[in-house]
Amino acid sequence: MRIISGTHKSRRISPDKSFKARPTTDFAKENLFNVLNNTIDFEDLKVLDLFGGTGSISYEFASRGAEQVICIELNFKHCAFIKKTVNELGFTQINVLRADIFKYLKGCKKQFDLIFADPPFDLDTIDTIPDTILKQNILNENGILIVEHSSRNNFSQHPLFHDMRSYGSVNFSFFKLKD
């Protein structure tokens, strides 16, 4: 796993072999960020990274100049790894929190320009993720929600669905409050 672009371009991140998270592939991540490069300005961006896993997405946003990244991960070992890596890379704009994503969302009072959710593909409630996030009023009016998922899920009928991109076995569905 590597950071694709920005201040830490080509920096490799290597979680321990026993790590249980499924990191977004470099291929999928590179294509996702190519799409985002043409859509958003990374500077001044406030990002919420849900189901942080290895922290790969948070590092990528920080490397590209995001103002603030909040990374939420429940697993103790994964959270510790992300915190250690954030310190090693010197990313002062990443705040890592060990929390249950659903409890965090209920109590969150901040708003974000971009929310990225990479739930486990076998999560029973994966189909409810967009509504769970969008009903909390934490996405800025012009913000983007991106949900990473397998091909088993299809969000195209959701009223706020905007686009879907597929890269191998990884799919990204984009949601916007308004076009």
Side-chain angles (χ1 to χ4, degrees), residues 9-59:
K9 180 180 180 174
S10 300
R11 181 75 187 262
R12 294 213 168 270
I13 311 297
S14 300
D16 163 308
K17 298 280 188 222
S18 67
F19 217 71
K20 294 191 187 318
R22 171 201 39 80
T24 303
T25 65
D26 285 353
F27 172 73
K29 184 169 57 172
E30 184 168 8
N31 282 290
L32 169 65
F33 277 87
N34 284 340
V35 170
L36 291 176
N37 244 358
N38 296 313
T39 309
I40 60 173
D41 180 12
F42 289 97
E43 291 182 18
D44 301 324
L45 197 66
K46 290 181 176 70
V47 178
L48 177 61
D49 181 5
L50 299 171
F51 305 94
T54 61
S56 170
I57 296 296
S58 290
Y59 312 142

mmCIF file of all heavy atoms in Angstrom, residues 9-59:
data_model
loop_
_atom_site.group_PDB
_atom_site.id
_atom_site.type_symbol
_atom_site.label_atom_id
_atom_site.label_comp_id
_atom_site.label_asym_id
_atom_site.label_seq_id
_atom_site.Cartn_x
_atom_site.Cartn_y
_atom_site.Cartn_z
ATOM 1 N N LYS A 9 4.071 11.499 -1.580
ATOM 2 C CA LYS A 9 3.935 10.651 -2.769
ATOM 3 C C LYS A 9 4.928 9.488 -2.748
ATOM 4 O O LYS A 9 6.093 9.659 -2.385
ATOM 5 C CB LYS A 9 4.173 11.487 -4.023
ATOM 6 C CG LYS A 9 4.062 10.705 -5.310
ATOM 7 C CD LYS A 9 4.309 11.586 -6.514
ATOM 8 C CE LYS A 9 4.195 10.760 -7.783
ATOM 9 N NZ LYS A 9 4.283 11.605 -8.973
ATOM 10 N N SER A 10 4.425 8.313 -3.078
ATOM 11 C CA SER A 10 5.199 7.064 -3.186
ATOM 12 C C SER A 10 5.627 6.476 -1.842
ATOM 13 O O SER A 10 6.326 5.462 -1.813
ATOM 14 C CB SER A 10 6.426 7.237 -4.083
ATOM 15 O OG SER A 10 6.022 7.623 -5.378
ATOM 16 N N ARG A 11 5.223 7.086 -0.748
ATOM 17 C CA ARG A 11 5.569 6.554 0.569
ATOM 18 C C ARG A 11 4.802 5.264 0.799
ATOM 19 O O ARG A 11 3.583 5.203 0.639
ATOM 20 C CB ARG A 11 5.221 7.589 1.642
ATOM 21 C CG ARG A 11 5.546 7.196 3.047
ATOM 22 C CD ARG A 11 7.060 7.301 3.308
ATOM 23 N NE ARG A 11 7.402 6.763 4.593
ATOM 24 C CZ ARG A 11 7.569 7.503 5.679
ATOM 25 N NH1 ARG A 11 7.474 8.804 5.619
ATOM 26 N NH2 ARG A 11 7.855 6.924 6.819
ATOM 27 N N ARG A 12 5.487 4.205 1.137
ATOM 28 C CA ARG A 12 4.860 2.897 1.361
ATOM 29 C C ARG A 12 4.440 2.766 2.819
ATOM 30 O O ARG A 12 5.158 3.172 3.723
ATOM 31 C CB ARG A 12 5.810 1.771 0.984
ATOM 32 C CG ARG A 12 6.084 1.757 -0.500
ATOM 33 C CD ARG A 12 6.301 0.334 -1.006
ATOM 34 N NE ARG A 12 6.271 0.312 -2.454
ATOM 35 C CZ ARG A 12 5.186 0.125 -3.186
ATOM 36 N NH1 ARG A 12 4.036 -0.048 -2.618
ATOM 37 N NH2 ARG A 12 5.238 0.117 -4.498
ATOM 38 N N ILE A 13 3.269 2.169 3.012
ATOM 39 C CA ILE A 13 2.725 1.904 4.340
ATOM 40 C C ILE A 13 2.542 0.393 4.423
ATOM 41 O O ILE A 13 1.896 -0.200 3.564
ATOM 42 C CB ILE A 13 1.346 2.589 4.543
ATOM 43 C CG1 ILE A 13 1.376 4.064 4.124
ATOM 44 C CG2 ILE A 13 0.846 2.408 5.960
ATOM 45 C CD1 ILE A 13 2.293 4.945 4.911
ATOM 46 N N SER A 14 3.095 -0.217 5.457
ATOM 47 C CA SER A 14 3.032 -1.681 5.559
ATOM 48 C C SER A 14 2.462 -2.131 6.895
ATOM 49 O O SER A 14 3.183 -2.227 7.889
ATOM 50 C CB SER A 14 4.434 -2.271 5.381
ATOM 51 O OG SER A 14 4.953 -1.933 4.132
ATOM 52 N N PRO A 15 1.163 -2.419 6.906
ATOM 53 C CA PRO A 15 0.596 -2.975 8.142
ATOM 54 C C PRO A 15 1.120 -4.392 8.361
ATOM 55 O O PRO A 15 1.525 -5.068 7.417
ATOM 56 C CB PRO A 15 -0.907 -2.990 7.890
ATOM 57 C CG PRO A 15 -1.108 -2.685 6.462
ATOM 58 C CD PRO A 15 0.181 -2.227 5.878
ATOM 59 N N ASP A 16 1.115 -4.807 9.571
ATOM 60 C CA ASP A 16 1.543 -6.144 9.969
ATOM 61 C C ASP A 16 0.710 -7.207 9.245
ATOM 62 O O ASP A 16 -0.439 -6.980 8.904
ATOM 63 C CB ASP A 16 1.368 -6.140 11.498
ATOM 64 C CG ASP A 16 1.335 -7.452 12.179
ATOM 65 O OD1 ASP A 16 0.559 -8.315 11.773
ATOM 66 O OD2 ASP A 16 2.070 -7.590 13.162
ATOM 67 N N LYS A 17 1.287 -8.351 8.990
ATOM 68 C CA LYS A 17 0.634 -9.431 8.225
ATOM 69 C C LYS A 17 -0.678 -9.903 8.870
ATOM 70 O O LYS A 17 -1.560 -10.413 8.191
ATOM 71 C CB LYS A 17 1.573 -10.633 8.070
ATOM 72 C CG LYS A 17 2.833 -10.304 7.290
ATOM 73 C CD LYS A 17 2.557 -10.319 5.821
ATOM 74 C CE LYS A 17 3.849 -10.176 5.051
ATOM 75 N NZ LYS A 17 3.776 -9.294 3.931
ATOM 76 N N SER A 18 -0.806 -9.757 10.179
ATOM 77 C CA SER A 18 -2.016 -10.210 10.871
ATOM 78 C C SER A 18 -3.161 -9.190 10.795
ATOM 79 O O SER A 18 -4.226 -9.425 11.327
ATOM 80 C CB SER A 18 -1.699 -10.512 12.335
ATOM 81 O OG SER A 18 -1.364 -9.313 13.010
ATOM 82 N N PHE A 19 -2.920 -8.080 10.117
ATOM 83 C CA PHE A 19 -3.913 -7.027 9.990
ATOM 84 C C PHE A 19 -5.151 -7.553 9.282
ATOM 85 O O PHE A 19 -5.047 -8.161 8.225
ATOM 86 C CB PHE A 19 -3.298 -5.873 9.185
ATOM 87 C CG PHE A 19 -3.707 -4.513 9.648
ATOM 88 C CD1 PHE A 19 -3.244 -3.995 10.845
ATOM 89 C CD2 PHE A 19 -4.544 -3.741 8.874
ATOM 90 C CE1 PHE A 19 -3.610 -2.735 11.268
ATOM 91 C CE2 PHE A 19 -4.919 -2.478 9.283
ATOM 92 C CZ PHE A 19 -4.448 -1.975 10.481
ATOM 93 N N LYS A 20 -6.325 -7.336 9.836
ATOM 94 C CA LYS A 20 -7.549 -7.904 9.283
ATOM 95 C C LYS A 20 -8.288 -6.972 8.325
ATOM 96 O O LYS A 20 -9.216 -7.393 7.645
ATOM 97 C CB LYS A 20 -8.482 -8.324 10.413
ATOM 98 C CG LYS A 20 -7.926 -9.466 11.248
ATOM 99 C CD LYS A 20 -8.983 -10.018 12.160
ATOM 100 C CE LYS A 20 -8.514 -11.032 13.159
ATOM 101 N NZ LYS A 20 -7.595 -12.020 12.766
ATOM 102 N N ALA A 21 -7.905 -5.712 8.264
ATOM 103 C CA ALA A 21 -8.596 -4.758 7.391
ATOM 104 C C ALA A 21 -8.296 -5.055 5.923
ATOM 105 O O ALA A 21 -7.230 -5.565 5.581
ATOM 106 C CB ALA A 21 -8.170 -3.335 7.718
ATOM 107 N N ARG A 22 -9.251 -4.714 5.074
ATOM 108 C CA ARG A 22 -9.093 -4.852 3.627
ATOM 109 C C ARG A 22 -8.815 -3.456 3.084
ATOM 110 O O ARG A 22 -9.729 -2.674 2.837
ATOM 111 C CB ARG A 22 -10.387 -5.431 3.023
ATOM 112 C CG ARG A 22 -10.447 -5.427 1.508
ATOM 113 C CD ARG A 22 -11.879 -5.502 0.988
ATOM 114 N NE ARG A 22 -12.857 -4.742 1.733
ATOM 115 C CZ ARG A 22 -13.044 -3.430 1.619
ATOM 116 N NH1 ARG A 22 -12.310 -2.711 0.804
ATOM 117 N NH2 ARG A 22 -13.974 -2.820 2.334
ATOM 118 N N PRO A 23 -7.549 -3.116 2.863
ATOM 119 C CA PRO A 23 -7.269 -1.764 2.374
ATOM 120 C C PRO A 23 -7.745 -1.582 0.934
ATOM 121 O O PRO A 23 -7.756 -2.525 0.148
ATOM 122 C CB PRO A 23 -5.749 -1.637 2.464
ATOM 123 C CG PRO A 23 -5.221 -3.020 2.547
ATOM 124 C CD PRO A 23 -6.325 -3.892 3.068
ATOM 125 N N THR A 24 -8.150 -0.365 0.613
ATOM 126 C CA THR A 24 -8.503 -0.028 -0.759
ATOM 127 C C THR A 24 -7.257 -0.256 -1.609
ATOM 128 O O THR A 24 -6.173 0.198 -1.257
ATOM 129 C CB THR A 24 -8.950 1.451 -0.842
ATOM 130 O OG1 THR A 24 -10.040 1.647 0.054
ATOM 131 C CG2 THR A 24 -9.356 1.829 -2.249
ATOM 132 N N THR A 25 -7.395 -0.964 -2.707
ATOM 133 C CA THR A 25 -6.231 -1.254 -3.549
ATOM 134 C C THR A 25 -5.633 0.046 -4.092
ATOM 135 O O THR A 25 -6.341 1.037 -4.286
ATOM 136 C CB THR A 25 -6.598 -2.165 -4.736
ATOM 137 O OG1 THR A 25 -7.504 -1.454 -5.585
ATOM 138 C CG2 THR A 25 -7.219 -3.481 -4.267
ATOM 139 N N ASP A 26 -4.327 0.031 -4.341
ATOM 140 C CA ASP A 26 -3.680 1.209 -4.910
ATOM 141 C C ASP A 26 -4.311 1.589 -6.245
ATOM 142 O O ASP A 26 -4.490 2.763 -6.545
ATOM 143 C CB ASP A 26 -2.179 0.962 -5.089
ATOM 144 C CG ASP A 26 -1.409 1.013 -3.776
ATOM 145 O OD1 ASP A 26 -2.001 1.369 -2.737
ATOM 146 O OD2 ASP A 26 -0.198 0.700 -3.789
ATOM 147 N N PHE A 27 -4.660 0.578 -7.055
ATOM 148 C CA PHE A 27 -5.283 0.819 -8.352
ATOM 149 C C PHE A 27 -6.606 1.566 -8.188
ATOM 150 O O PHE A 27 -6.860 2.580 -8.849
ATOM 151 C CB PHE A 27 -5.500 -0.522 -9.072
ATOM 152 C CG PHE A 27 -6.302 -0.417 -10.339
ATOM 153 C CD1 PHE A 27 -5.751 0.150 -11.486
ATOM 154 C CD2 PHE A 27 -7.611 -0.888 -10.393
ATOM 155 C CE1 PHE A 27 -6.491 0.248 -12.660
ATOM 156 C CE2 PHE A 27 -8.355 -0.790 -11.563
ATOM 157 C CZ PHE A 27 -7.797 -0.219 -12.696
ATOM 158 N N ALA A 28 -7.456 1.069 -7.293
ATOM 159 C CA ALA A 28 -8.761 1.699 -7.067
ATOM 160 C C ALA A 28 -8.586 3.091 -6.456
ATOM 161 O O ALA A 28 -9.257 4.050 -6.865
ATOM 162 C CB ALA A 28 -9.631 0.827 -6.169
ATOM 163 N N LYS A 29 -7.682 3.205 -5.499
ATOM 164 C CA LYS A 29 -7.457 4.490 -4.832
ATOM 165 C C LYS A 29 -6.929 5.533 -5.824
ATOM 166 O O LYS A 29 -7.385 6.679 -5.836
ATOM 167 C CB LYS A 29 -6.485 4.311 -3.664
ATOM 168 C CG LYS A 29 -6.256 5.572 -2.860
ATOM 169 C CD LYS A 29 -5.512 5.317 -1.584
ATOM 170 C CE LYS A 29 -4.179 4.655 -1.825
ATOM 171 N NZ LYS A 29 -3.360 4.558 -0.620
ATOM 172 N N GLU A 30 -5.996 5.139 -6.675
ATOM 173 C CA GLU A 30 -5.453 6.062 -7.661
ATOM 174 C C GLU A 30 -6.544 6.554 -8.607
ATOM 175 O O GLU A 30 -6.641 7.746 -8.907
ATOM 176 C CB GLU A 30 -4.333 5.391 -8.459
ATOM 177 C CG GLU A 30 -3.653 6.329 -9.429
ATOM 178 C CD GLU A 30 -2.370 5.763 -10.022
ATOM 179 O OE1 GLU A 30 -2.056 4.572 -9.808
ATOM 180 O OE2 GLU A 30 -1.683 6.542 -10.693
ATOM 181 N N ASN A 31 -7.408 5.657 -9.054
ATOM 182 C CA ASN A 31 -8.499 6.053 -9.942
ATOM 183 C C ASN A 31 -9.528 6.931 -9.229
ATOM 184 O O ASN A 31 -10.015 7.906 -9.800
ATOM 185 C CB ASN A 31 -9.158 4.817 -10.556
ATOM 186 C CG ASN A 31 -8.328 4.266 -11.689
ATOM 187 O OD1 ASN A 31 -8.235 4.879 -12.745
ATOM 188 N ND2 ASN A 31 -7.700 3.119 -11.475
ATOM 189 N N LEU A 32 -9.848 6.604 -7.993
ATOM 190 C CA LEU A 32 -10.768 7.427 -7.212
ATOM 191 C C LEU A 32 -10.226 8.853 -7.089
ATOM 192 O O LEU A 32 -10.950 9.825 -7.333
ATOM 193 C CB LEU A 32 -10.980 6.838 -5.814
ATOM 194 C CG LEU A 32 -11.718 7.736 -4.820
ATOM 195 C CD1 LEU A 32 -13.152 7.978 -5.265
ATOM 196 C CD2 LEU A 32 -11.665 7.132 -3.426
ATOM 197 N N PHE A 33 -8.964 8.974 -6.744
ATOM 198 C CA PHE A 33 -8.393 10.310 -6.555
ATOM 199 C C PHE A 33 -8.205 11.050 -7.875
ATOM 200 O O PHE A 33 -8.234 12.284 -7.893
ATOM 201 C CB PHE A 33 -7.123 10.247 -5.706
ATOM 202 C CG PHE A 33 -7.438 10.211 -4.237
ATOM 203 C CD1 PHE A 33 -7.688 9.010 -3.591
ATOM 204 C CD2 PHE A 33 -7.539 11.378 -3.497
ATOM 205 C CE1 PHE A 33 -8.012 8.973 -2.239
ATOM 206 C CE2 PHE A 33 -7.864 11.363 -2.151
ATOM 207 C CZ PHE A 33 -8.102 10.162 -1.520
ATOM 208 N N ASN A 34 -8.066 10.342 -8.980
ATOM 209 C CA ASN A 34 -8.065 11.001 -10.289
ATOM 210 C C ASN A 34 -9.420 11.640 -10.552
ATOM 211 O O ASN A 34 -9.511 12.759 -11.057
ATOM 212 C CB ASN A 34 -7.713 10.018 -11.411
ATOM 213 C CG ASN A 34 -6.244 9.692 -11.450
ATOM 214 O OD1 ASN A 34 -5.409 10.421 -10.917
ATOM 215 N ND2 ASN A 34 -5.913 8.573 -12.078
ATOM 216 N N VAL A 35 -10.493 10.932 -10.208
ATOM 217 C CA VAL A 35 -11.848 11.484 -10.350
ATOM 218 C C VAL A 35 -11.999 12.702 -9.438
ATOM 219 O O VAL A 35 -12.476 13.758 -9.859
ATOM 220 C CB VAL A 35 -12.923 10.420 -10.020
ATOM 221 C CG1 VAL A 35 -14.307 11.042 -9.921
ATOM 222 C CG2 VAL A 35 -12.902 9.304 -11.049
ATOM 223 N N LEU A 36 -11.575 12.569 -8.180
ATOM 224 C CA LEU A 36 -11.714 13.671 -7.227
ATOM 225 C C LEU A 36 -10.878 14.880 -7.627
ATOM 226 O O LEU A 36 -11.291 16.024 -7.406
ATOM 227 C CB LEU A 36 -11.341 13.205 -5.816
ATOM 228 C CG LEU A 36 -12.307 12.211 -5.181
ATOM 229 C CD1 LEU A 36 -11.777 11.751 -3.834
ATOM 230 C CD2 LEU A 36 -13.698 12.803 -5.048
ATOM 231 N N ASN A 37 -9.714 14.638 -8.217
ATOM 232 C CA ASN A 37 -8.842 15.729 -8.668
ATOM 233 C C ASN A 37 -9.570 16.671 -9.618
ATOM 234 O O ASN A 37 -9.292 17.864 -9.636
ATOM 235 C CB ASN A 37 -7.620 15.153 -9.389
ATOM 236 C CG ASN A 37 -6.345 15.446 -8.671
ATOM 237 O OD1 ASN A 37 -6.315 16.097 -7.648
ATOM 238 N ND2 ASN A 37 -5.263 14.945 -9.228
ATOM 239 N N ASN A 38 -10.472 16.136 -10.409
ATOM 240 C CA ASN A 38 -11.224 16.933 -11.377
ATOM 241 C C ASN A 38 -12.520 17.495 -10.802
ATOM 242 O O ASN A 38 -13.264 18.163 -11.519
ATOM 243 C CB ASN A 38 -11.531 16.082 -12.611
ATOM 244 C CG ASN A 38 -10.284 15.663 -13.330
ATOM 245 O OD1 ASN A 38 -9.404 16.480 -13.579
ATOM 246 N ND2 ASN A 38 -10.175 14.388 -13.648
ATOM 247 N N THR A 39 -12.785 17.200 -9.528
ATOM 248 C CA THR A 39 -14.056 17.576 -8.924
ATOM 249 C C THR A 39 -13.905 18.550 -7.762
ATOM 250 O O THR A 39 -14.741 19.424 -7.580
ATOM 251 C CB THR A 39 -14.777 16.306 -8.400
ATOM 252 O OG1 THR A 39 -14.818 15.339 -9.436
ATOM 253 C CG2 THR A 39 -16.177 16.601 -7.937
ATOM 254 N N ILE A 40 -12.846 18.370 -6.974
ATOM 255 C CA ILE A 40 -12.712 19.158 -5.743
ATOM 256 C C ILE A 40 -11.322 19.780 -5.615
ATOM 257 O O ILE A 40 -10.379 19.357 -6.265
ATOM 258 C CB ILE A 40 -12.972 18.282 -4.485
ATOM 259 C CG1 ILE A 40 -11.970 17.114 -4.409
ATOM 260 C CG2 ILE A 40 -14.389 17.768 -4.448
ATOM 261 C CD1 ILE A 40 -12.042 16.310 -3.142
ATOM 262 N N ASP A 41 -11.241 20.765 -4.752
ATOM 263 C CA ASP A 41 -9.970 21.375 -4.377
ATOM 264 C C ASP A 41 -9.615 20.786 -3.013
ATOM 265 O O ASP A 41 -10.380 20.918 -2.057
ATOM 266 C CB ASP A 41 -10.132 22.892 -4.296
ATOM 267 C CG ASP A 41 -8.849 23.599 -3.909
ATOM 268 O OD1 ASP A 41 -7.777 22.969 -3.916
ATOM 269 O OD2 ASP A 41 -8.923 24.802 -3.593
ATOM 270 N N PHE A 42 -8.497 20.119 -2.921
ATOM 271 C CA PHE A 42 -8.142 19.414 -1.692
ATOM 272 C C PHE A 42 -7.810 20.360 -0.546
ATOM 273 O O PHE A 42 -8.035 20.031 0.615
ATOM 274 C CB PHE A 42 -6.974 18.446 -1.940
ATOM 275 C CG PHE A 42 -7.374 17.260 -2.757
ATOM 276 C CD1 PHE A 42 -7.158 17.236 -4.126
ATOM 277 C CD2 PHE A 42 -7.987 16.173 -2.171
ATOM 278 C CE1 PHE A 42 -7.541 16.142 -4.881
ATOM 279 C CE2 PHE A 42 -8.384 15.072 -2.915
ATOM 280 C CZ PHE A 42 -8.156 15.067 -4.282
ATOM 281 N N GLU A 43 -7.250 21.542 -0.844
ATOM 282 C CA GLU A 43 -6.930 22.490 0.221
ATOM 283 C C GLU A 43 -8.222 22.994 0.839
ATOM 284 O O GLU A 43 -9.221 23.174 0.161
ATOM 285 C CB GLU A 43 -6.101 23.642 -0.332
ATOM 286 C CG GLU A 43 -4.707 23.184 -0.743
ATOM 287 C CD GLU A 43 -3.843 24.314 -1.247
ATOM 288 O OE1 GLU A 43 -4.163 25.492 -0.980
ATOM 289 O OE2 GLU A 43 -2.841 24.008 -1.900
ATOM 290 N N ASP A 44 -8.203 23.198 2.121
ATOM 291 C CA ASP A 44 -9.360 23.654 2.902
ATOM 292 C C ASP A 44 -10.444 22.586 3.044
ATOM 293 O O ASP A 44 -11.508 22.850 3.590
ATOM 294 C CB ASP A 44 -9.991 24.929 2.317
ATOM 295 C CG ASP A 44 -9.016 26.077 2.250
ATOM 296 O OD1 ASP A 44 -8.175 26.194 3.161
ATOM 297 O OD2 ASP A 44 -9.086 26.858 1.286
ATOM 298 N N LEU A 45 -10.187 21.383 2.565
ATOM 299 C CA LEU A 45 -11.166 20.303 2.618
ATOM 300 C C LEU A 45 -11.236 19.709 4.028
ATOM 301 O O LEU A 45 -10.208 19.440 4.649
ATOM 302 C CB LEU A 45 -10.751 19.213 1.616
ATOM 303 C CG LEU A 45 -11.795 18.187 1.197
ATOM 304 C CD1 LEU A 45 -12.907 18.860 0.397
ATOM 305 C CD2 LEU A 45 -11.134 17.112 0.348
ATOM 306 N N LYS A 46 -12.463 19.521 4.503
ATOM 307 C CA LYS A 46 -12.689 18.849 5.787
ATOM 308 C C LYS A 46 -13.265 17.480 5.467
ATOM 309 O O LYS A 46 -14.337 17.381 4.868
ATOM 310 C CB LYS A 46 -13.635 19.660 6.663
ATOM 311 C CG LYS A 46 -12.996 20.949 7.159
ATOM 312 C CD LYS A 46 -13.944 21.731 8.040
ATOM 313 C CE LYS A 46 -13.294 22.951 8.611
ATOM 314 N NZ LYS A 46 -13.020 24.001 7.642
ATOM 315 N N VAL A 47 -12.541 16.422 5.868
ATOM 316 C CA VAL A 47 -12.869 15.053 5.478
ATOM 317 C C VAL A 47 -13.183 14.203 6.704
ATOM 318 O O VAL A 47 -12.503 14.303 7.728
ATOM 319 C CB VAL A 47 -11.672 14.410 4.728
ATOM 320 C CG1 VAL A 47 -11.970 12.968 4.359
ATOM 321 C CG2 VAL A 47 -11.302 15.219 3.495
ATOM 322 N N LEU A 48 -14.197 13.355 6.569
ATOM 323 C CA LEU A 48 -14.501 12.338 7.566
ATOM 324 C C LEU A 48 -14.278 10.985 6.903
ATOM 325 O O LEU A 48 -14.896 10.688 5.882
ATOM 326 C CB LEU A 48 -15.946 12.464 8.051
ATOM 327 C CG LEU A 48 -16.423 11.413 9.065
ATOM 328 C CD1 LEU A 48 -15.589 11.461 10.345
ATOM 329 C CD2 LEU A 48 -17.908 11.624 9.385
ATOM 330 N N ASP A 49 -13.368 10.198 7.472
ATOM 331 C CA ASP A 49 -13.039 8.867 6.953
ATOM 332 C C ASP A 49 -13.602 7.848 7.933
ATOM 333 O O ASP A 49 -13.093 7.687 9.042
ATOM 334 C CB ASP A 49 -11.516 8.731 6.817
ATOM 335 C CG ASP A 49 -11.072 7.392 6.259
ATOM 336 O OD1 ASP A 49 -11.926 6.564 5.866
ATOM 337 O OD2 ASP A 49 -9.841 7.160 6.223
ATOM 338 N N LEU A 50 -14.674 7.179 7.508
ATOM 339 C CA LEU A 50 -15.340 6.199 8.368
ATOM 340 C C LEU A 50 -14.866 4.796 8.030
ATOM 341 O O LEU A 50 -14.685 4.467 6.862
ATOM 342 C CB LEU A 50 -16.856 6.289 8.183
ATOM 343 C CG LEU A 50 -17.481 7.645 8.539
ATOM 344 C CD1 LEU A 50 -18.943 7.685 8.112
ATOM 345 C CD2 LEU A 50 -17.345 7.923 10.023
ATOM 346 N N PHE A 51 -14.721 3.958 9.040
ATOM 347 C CA PHE A 51 -14.179 2.606 8.890
ATOM 348 C C PHE A 51 -12.742 2.737 8.378
ATOM 349 O O PHE A 51 -12.390 2.199 7.326
ATOM 350 C CB PHE A 51 -15.017 1.745 7.928
ATOM 351 C CG PHE A 51 -16.478 1.641 8.278
ATOM 352 C CD1 PHE A 51 -17.406 2.501 7.716
ATOM 353 C CD2 PHE A 51 -16.921 0.669 9.168
ATOM 354 C CE1 PHE A 51 -18.758 2.407 8.024
ATOM 355 C CE2 PHE A 51 -18.280 0.562 9.481
ATOM 356 C CZ PHE A 51 -19.189 1.436 8.912
ATOM 357 N N GLY A 52 -11.901 3.457 9.125
ATOM 358 C CA GLY A 52 -10.553 3.827 8.697
ATOM 359 C C GLY A 52 -9.641 2.691 8.281
ATOM 360 O O GLY A 52 -8.776 2.874 7.433
ATOM 361 N N GLY A 53 -9.803 1.508 8.875
ATOM 362 C CA GLY A 53 -8.991 0.346 8.483
ATOM 363 C C GLY A 53 -7.508 0.571 8.661
ATOM 364 O O GLY A 53 -7.000 0.631 9.773
ATOM 365 N N THR A 54 -6.786 0.742 7.560
ATOM 366 C CA THR A 54 -5.333 0.975 7.605
ATOM 367 C C THR A 54 -5.023 2.467 7.652
ATOM 368 O O THR A 54 -3.868 2.836 7.863
ATOM 369 C CB THR A 54 -4.646 0.391 6.357
ATOM 370 O OG1 THR A 54 -5.175 1.050 5.201
ATOM 371 C CG2 THR A 54 -4.843 -1.109 6.263
ATOM 372 N N GLY A 55 -6.016 3.307 7.389
ATOM 373 C CA GLY A 55 -5.794 4.755 7.343
ATOM 374 C C GLY A 55 -5.393 5.248 5.965
ATOM 375 O O GLY A 55 -5.135 6.436 5.770
ATOM 376 N N SER A 56 -5.343 4.363 5.002
ATOM 377 C CA SER A 56 -4.858 4.677 3.656
ATOM 378 C C SER A 56 -5.540 5.895 3.033
ATOM 379 O O SER A 56 -4.886 6.754 2.441
ATOM 380 C CB SER A 56 -5.059 3.443 2.766
ATOM 381 O OG SER A 56 -4.832 3.738 1.427
ATOM 382 N N ILE A 57 -6.849 5.973 3.149
ATOM 383 C CA ILE A 57 -7.592 7.086 2.551
ATOM 384 C C ILE A 57 -7.286 8.390 3.296
ATOM 385 O O ILE A 57 -7.091 9.434 2.683
ATOM 386 C CB ILE A 57 -9.111 6.786 2.532
ATOM 387 C CG1 ILE A 57 -9.404 5.576 1.636
ATOM 388 C CG2 ILE A 57 -9.909 8.005 2.106
ATOM 389 C CD1 ILE A 57 -9.089 5.746 0.160
ATOM 390 N N SER A 58 -7.201 8.327 4.609
ATOM 391 C CA SER A 58 -6.859 9.516 5.398
ATOM 392 C C SER A 58 -5.484 10.050 5.021
ATOM 393 O O SER A 58 -5.305 11.259 4.850
ATOM 394 C CB SER A 58 -6.888 9.188 6.893
ATOM 395 O OG SER A 58 -8.200 8.967 7.346
ATOM 396 N N TYR A 59 -4.495 9.156 4.882
ATOM 397 C CA TYR A 59 -3.142 9.592 4.511
ATOM 398 C C TYR A 59 -3.158 10.262 3.143
ATOM 399 O O TYR A 59 -2.466 11.258 2.919
ATOM 400 C CB TYR A 59 -2.153 8.424 4.461
ATOM 401 C CG TYR A 59 -2.173 7.482 5.646
ATOM 402 C CD1 TYR A 59 -2.009 6.115 5.462
ATOM 403 C CD2 TYR A 59 -2.341 7.944 6.951
ATOM 404 C CE1 TYR A 59 -2.022 5.234 6.524
ATOM 405 C CE2 TYR A 59 -2.367 7.064 8.025
ATOM 406 C CZ TYR A 59 -2.208 5.711 7.802
ATOM 407 O OH TYR A 59 -2.225 4.835 8.860
#
